[in-house]
Amino acid sequence: MPSPLHAMRFGIASKLFLAILATCIVVAIAMGVAVRASFESGFDSYVREREARRVEALSGVLADYYQETGSWHGLREQPRRWWRMLRSMPDPNAGPQHAEARPEHGPGKPPAPPPPARFVPPPYYLVDVDGTPVAGVPDELDLSQDTPRFAIEVDGRTVGWLVTIPRGQGPSALDERFLAEQLKATWIIIGLSVLLAALVSGLLARGLLAPLRRLGRATHRLAGGDYGTRVEVMSRDELGQLARDFNHLALTLEKNERLRRDMVADVSHELRTPLAILRGELEALQDGVRSLTPASLESLQAEVATLNKLIDDLYELSLADVGAMRYRMTDVDVAGLLRAACGPYRERLAARGLTLDTRLPASTPPMRGDPQRLTQLFNNLLENALRYTDPGGEVRVRVEADAGLTVCVEDSPPGVPRELLPRMFERMFRVDPSRSRESGGAGLGLAIAARIVEAHEGTIHAEPSPLGGVRIVIRFPRSAL
C-alpha cells in the first residue's frame, strides 16, 4: 500500500502541467491588469475630451441665446426650453455634415430634437453670473459642492456658468456602467483564457512527456537485461538525440554482453582442452597404460605451459581493461626494440618455412614508451603471424618515421575477410574457431596488443596485405616522440 507521502508526490507530468499553467495564468492576469489600466486611462481621456467638446458646443448655444434674449429669464420660467436647447446641441463626435445640418434656433423657430433614443443629456447645469441656479439642476444635487465650472461669455464678459454635475449623480452614470460592463467582460475573458491555458497545458505536458515515458519504459527493460530494447526516433530535436543515444547504448550493451558470453565460452573451452589432456595423461600413467618417460613428462609440461600462458594473458588483459597495467615510460628506440624482437623469431619462422623480411632504419626518433610493454606488443604481432601464416609464406616488418611513427607487420595468406578485420582485436576472436587447437592460440594476443597501443596514445588497425594476408598498422602520434 503506497504511503501518503508517495501518494502526494507529483510526477514530472504534473510538475510540467503546473509550470505551464502557472505561467499562462500569470501572463493572462498581467495582460488583464494591463488592459484594464489602459482601458480605464483611455476611457477617462475619451470622456474628458467628449465633455470638453460638449461644453464648447453648449457654451456657444447658450451664448447665442443670451445674446438674442439679453437674460436667462426665459430659461428660468420655461425649463422645457432648456431641454429643447440641449436637444438642439450638435453631436460633438459628429463629422462636418452634422454641424452643417444643425437647425437654426431663435424666436419663433423651436429646434427639432434628434430621436430621443440617441439623446443623452450632458452632465451640466446652468447658473447665472452670481451663481444662482438657472436650469438643469437635479433635485438631489448638493449645490454646496465645489465642482468644475465653465464660463459663458458674450462680447468678452461672463454672463453665466456651466457647472459639472458630480459623477454618479447625473447622466455620467451611464459611462460608469459602460466601464463596469467592459471590465467585467475583461475578467470573463481572462477566466476563459485560464481555462484554455489549462487545456493547452495538459496537451503540451502529455505531448512533451510521451517520448520520455517511452524512453523510461525502454530503460526499465534495458536495466532488466533486455539488451534488444530499442526506442523509435520520432524527431530531430534533443529528445530525438536522446533516443538515438539510448539505442546506441543498448546496441553497445548487447554487443558487450554477447562478447562476454563468447569469452566465457571460449575461456572454458581453452581451459577444458589442456585439462582434459592432463587428466587423460595422468590417468594413463596411474593405470600403467603409459609409462613415465621424458616424452610423457614433456607432453604434460606443454599442457601446463599452455594453461599458464592463458592465465597470464587473461590476467594482463584484465589489468589493461581496468587501467592497472603498469608502464614505466622512458625514451626508447622503436627500431632497436623491433630488431631485438625479430631475432628469436627468425629461426622459428624458418622452421615453419616462412621468411622474415625486415627493413628497419638504424634508429628512430626517441619515443616515450615502456620498453617491456612495447617488446610484448611486437612479440604478440610476430607470434600471430607465425601461427596463422601458411608454410612457405612471408612476414614483413617495417618502421617509418613521418608525421609520427608507423610500424607495419604483414604476412602472406591466408587472409581475413574485410568485414571481419575490425574484430581481430576482440578477445578470443578467431576467423576459424576450428583451428584454435591447431594454432595453439587463445585469441588474446591482439586484444592485449591493442591495449598497449592505446596506453601509448597510438592507434592500431588491420587491413588487407598486398602479400595476400593481413597487415597490422600501428601509428604513434608526434606527441609521443
Side-chain angles (χ1 to χ4, degrees):
M1 180 178 179
S3 63
L5 180 61
H6 180 76
M8 295 175 59
R9 186 178 303 167
F10 287 103
I12 187 172
S14 301
K15 294 178 181 178
L16 184 60
F17 168 76
L18 292 177
I20 298 176
L21 178 60
T23 303
C24 294
I25 291 176
V26 171
V27 171
I29 293 177
M31 290 183 62
V33 172
V35 168
R36 174 173 180 171
S38 176
F39 181 80
E40 288 180 342
S41 175
F43 186 77
D44 288 342
S45 299
Y46 161 76
V47 170
R48 285 194 296 269
E49 183 178 356
R50 183 192 64 186
E51 298 306 324
R53 292 183 180 182
R54 284 182 174 179
V55 166
E56 182 181 357
L58 185 58
S59 297
V61 172
L62 292 174
D64 292 344
Y65 173 83
Y66 190 88
Q67 189 173 14
E68 293 177 1
T69 61
S71 68
W72 301 117
H73 181 72
L75 292 180
R76 282 196 180 97
E77 297 297 329
Q78 300 178 11
R80 292 180 178 274
R81 179 174 293 185
W82 164 258
W83 297 110
R84 287 196 300 270
M85 187 178 297
L86 292 181
R87 290 188 176 93
S88 69
M89 184 182 64
D91 185 356
N93 296 319
Q97 69 277 12
H98 289 81
E100 294 176 359
R102 183 179 67 178
E104 298 180 357
H105 59 278
K109 290 185 178 181
R118 297 183 55 191
F119 172 70
V120 178
Y124 304 104
Y125 62 92
L126 178 64
V127 297
D128 60 15
V129 69
D130 298 326
T132 304
V134 176
V137 181
D139 296 337
E140 68 278 7
L141 182 65
D142 184 3
L143 298 179
S144 65
Q145 290 183 351
D146 186 12
T147 56
R149 56 182 58 195
F150 306 92
I152 302 173
E153 296 182 353
V154 175
D155 297 332
R157 63 187 182 90
T158 302
V159 297
W161 303 88
L162 275 177
V163 185
T164 302
I165 297 177
R167 299 189 72 175
Q169 297 187 21
S172 60
L174 296 175
D175 297 334
E176 297 290 343
R177 287 195 297 271
F178 173 76
L179 178 61
E181 290 175 356
Q182 295 302 312
L183 295 180
K184 180 180 178 181
T186 300
W187 288 116
I188 292 176
I189 293 174
I190 292 176
L192 295 177
S193 300
V194 170
L195 294 178
L196 180 61
L199 176 61
V200 173
S201 300
L203 295 177
L204 283 178
R206 291 175 61 87
L208 291 176
L209 292 178
L212 292 180
R213 289 195 181 98
R214 291 195 297 268
L215 192 60
R217 291 191 293 267
T219 303
H220 183 73
R221 293 195 300 271
L222 185 65
D226 184 6
Y227 299 116
T229 301
R230 299 292 186 273
V231 293
E232 183 179 0
V233 180
M234 304 182 65
S235 63
R236 297 184 179 181
D237 55 9
E238 288 81 357
L239 291 176
Q241 183 60 44
L242 181 61
R244 286 189 289 271
D245 291 342
F246 175 86
N247 291 337
H248 181 70
L249 173 63
L251 179 63
T252 301
L253 291 176
E254 184 179 21
K255 177 182 177 182
N256 290 339
E257 177 63 16
R258 183 179 65 254
L259 292 177
R260 184 191 66 81
R261 290 196 300 265
D262 293 345
M263 182 177 177
V264 170
D266 292 339
V267 169
S268 63
H269 173 72
E270 292 295 330
L271 291 174
R272 185 184 298 111
T273 302
L275 287 175
I277 295 175
L278 283 175
R279 181 178 179 180
E281 293 282 350
L282 291 175
E283 289 179 352
L285 293 173
Q286 186 177 11
D287 296 340
V289 176
R290 187 174 181 182
S291 58
L292 185 60
T293 62
S296 61
L297 290 177
E298 184 179 355
S299 177
L300 294 174
Q301 183 66 27
E303 298 302 328
V304 171
T306 300
L307 284 173
N308 188 62
K309 178 65 168 59
L310 176 60
I311 293 173
D312 289 343
D313 287 346
L314 288 172
Y315 177 69
E316 288 194 356
L317 187 59
S318 65
L319 291 179
D321 286 341
V322 299
M325 185 179 286
R326 296 181 180 179
Y327 293 88
R328 296 174 181 173
M329 298 297 186
T330 184
D331 291 338
V332 297
D333 178 11
V334 173
L337 290 178
L338 194 52
R339 186 179 297 106
C342 290
Y345 277 92
R346 194 174 296 276
E347 293 184 2
R348 295 181 59 190
L349 290 169
R352 282 182 53 89
L354 302 174
T355 59
L356 178 60
D357 180 11
T358 59
R359 297 180 184 179
L360 307 176
S363 63
T364 55
M367 187 190 89
R368 295 295 295 176
D370 185 335
Q372 181 180 354
R373 295 301 178 188
L374 289 175
T375 299
Q376 181 183 6
L377 165 65
F378 300 146
N379 287 338
N380 287 349
L381 297 181
L382 292 169
E383 188 70 27
N384 185 76
L386 172 65
R387 290 178 175 176
Y388 298 103
T389 305
D390 292 341
E394 181 183 359
V395 178
R396 289 180 183 176
V397 180
R398 300 285 188 272
V399 175
E400 297 179 2
D402 40 29
L405 200 63
T406 303
V407 177
C408 295
V409 178
E410 56 184 326
D411 53 40
S412 54
V416 175
R418 186 179 293 272
E419 65 273 9
L420 296 180
L421 288 175
R423 297 192 57 195
M424 289 186 60
F425 303 98
E426 295 179 1
R427 307 167 187 174
M428 315 297 290
F429 173 75
R430 297 186 188 85
V431 178
D432 185 2
S434 64
R435 299 181 58 191
S436 60
R437 294 308 309 160
E438 180 183 348
S439 61
L444 296 175
L446 291 182
I448 295 175
R451 302 301 187 277
I452 296 175
V453 172
E454 291 173 1
H456 287 79
E457 300 180 356
T459 60
I460 183 172
H461 72 275
E463 60 187 34
S465 170
L467 299 177
V470 178
R471 172 190 285 175
I472 305 296
V473 181
I474 303 172
R475 289 190 175 91
F476 297 106
R478 181 182 295 273
S479 59
L481 302 181

